[in-house]
Amino acid sequence: MRTNTTTTTTAGARARTAGALMAGWVALLWVLEGIDTATGHALDTYGVTPREPAELRDIVPSAFLHGGWDHVASNSVPLLVLGFIAALAGIRRFAAVVLTIIVVSGLGVWLTAPPDTVTLGASGVVFGLFGYLLVRGFVDRRPLDIVVGLVVAAVYGSLLWGVLPTDSGISWQGHLFGLIGGVGAAFAFRRTPRALTV
């Protein structure tokens, strides 16, 4: 029996890259929250206020900022886990998926959030990655990814309650549109089936 060393090495390299990327991302969120706290929450101005054209430029930065230490802490572990799993398939695809999620989630907030509110946080990305991983295997027709999606559903399925308007202090709009963005990204960036060779 032979071991495919090249495949094993590639998988290991991808895992290290994905782990380093997500550890760096989460660390950045904590550093930014530290800066925000030290400056009297000066960075909160980069959150999204709905239906103001100038606020469209804050859609991307708002996904990296939080409203306090509890907020960033609650997003860190699911972002780290779900992001790591998604990034294992390749960093370029992952970057495209995440950008899609951020834009769809941010636009959804900008269009539908209550007036005079400011929305920020990585939870839209968390919900988006959840939706992406949930359907990716079915879209790509890859049995292993289907199993991964089912495990993600079993572990993080309770996240779906977050798309309901149950708490006025939580942006269910960001969650809902993040989820939509993740599902859409699974279709937009689906893998092309490999051609069979004889």
Side-chain angles (χ1 to χ4, degrees):
M1 179 182 252
R2 291 184 179 178
T3 302
N4 192 329
T5 308
T6 303
T7 302
T8 304
T9 302
T10 302
R14 284 192 171 191
R16 287 191 294 273
T17 301
L21 173 65
M22 294 314 302
W25 186 349
V26 171
L28 174 63
L29 300 185
W30 284 85
V31 169
L32 289 172
E33 184 56 34
I35 294 171
D36 188 43
T37 301
T39 58
H41 302 288
L43 297 183
D44 289 355
T45 186
Y46 294 101
V48 175
T49 300
R51 293 171 295 284
E52 292 186 14
E55 291 292 307
L56 289 170
R57 65 189 176 193
D58 291 334
I59 284 176
V60 172
S62 68
F64 295 86
L65 302 170
H66 291 81
W69 295 110
D70 289 345
H71 191 197
V72 70
S74 67
N75 282 330
S76 291
V77 173
L79 179 64
L80 184 66
V81 173
L82 298 176
F84 173 76
I85 295 170
L88 287 173
I91 299 303
R92 283 193 296 181
R93 187 186 189 197
F94 175 73
V97 167
V98 168
L99 182 59
T100 300
I101 292 168
I102 289 174
V103 170
V104 173
S105 177
L107 282 174
V109 167
W110 187 82
L111 287 168
T112 65
D116 303 317
T117 58
V118 177
T119 301
L120 38 72
S123 55
V125 178
V126 170
F127 276 77
L129 290 173
F130 171 77
Y132 171 72
L133 292 172
L134 200 62
V135 303
R136 179 186 64 178
F138 296 98
V139 173
D140 291 348
R141 298 182 181 180
R142 294 168 67 95
L144 179 58
D145 286 341
I146 291 174
V147 172
V148 169
L150 294 174
V151 172
V152 166
V155 175
Y156 287 105
S158 61
L159 280 176
L160 290 174
W161 292 109
V163 303
L164 300 176
T166 55
D167 189 333
S168 60
I170 296 176
S171 176
W172 62 269
Q173 297 93 342
H175 297 172
L176 175 60
F177 284 97
L179 184 68
I180 292 170
V183 171
F187 285 92
F189 304 107
R190 61 182 173 270
R191 291 185 182 276
T192 303
R194 293 179 180 174
L196 294 176
T197 56
V198 180

